[in-house]
Amino acid sequence: MKEFKYVITDEVGIHARPAGLLVQEAKKFTSTIMFIKGEKSAKATSLMKLMGMGIVKGDEITVTIEGDDEDAAAEAIEAFVKANF
């Protein structure tokens, strides 16, 4: 399992447009990619659950990746998160 933490720097947090792109990116991999904030968690392939987490600027999220292609998925998702959120 791979894991990384990230503090959201985007002014509006995780919102519709980049979240939709994140879902598309996550669906390229077979690994399970989870976003965790406090007690809430959501699969990166579920747009509505991601949006429902209410992640805003300054929130620290933990992303976990587990599966056959976790190395490639972790690298791609971490780069995406840093570039878009």
Side-chain angles (χ1 to χ4, degrees):
M1 181 173 88
K2 299 286 184 179
E3 177 180 302
F4 69 90
K5 294 184 184 298
Y6 181 74
V7 176
I8 302 299
T9 58
D10 187 277
E11 288 296 324
V12 291
I14 293 184
H15 55 99
R17 184 193 56 77
L21 296 173
L22 171 64
V23 168
Q24 289 177 1
E25 185 69 19
K27 286 184 176 180
K28 294 177 183 177
F29 303 98
T30 59
S31 292
T32 299
I33 303 163
M34 297 293 296
F35 276 60
I36 303 161
K37 179 189 118 179
E39 298 296 316
K40 296 181 180 180
S41 65
K43 285 187 178 180
T45 53
S46 176
L47 178 61
M48 297 312 290
K49 288 190 178 180
L50 278 172
M51 299 293 298
M53 290 178 68
I55 299 171
V56 296
K57 182 178 180 179
D59 284 348
E60 181 179 68
I61 59 168
T62 301
V63 181
T64 62
I65 303 100
E66 188 169 7
D68 293 336
D69 57 359
E70 65 187 29
D71 291 329
E75 188 176 313
I77 296 300
E78 185 169 7
F80 183 91
V81 167
K82 288 179 177 178
N84 292 280
F85 301 121

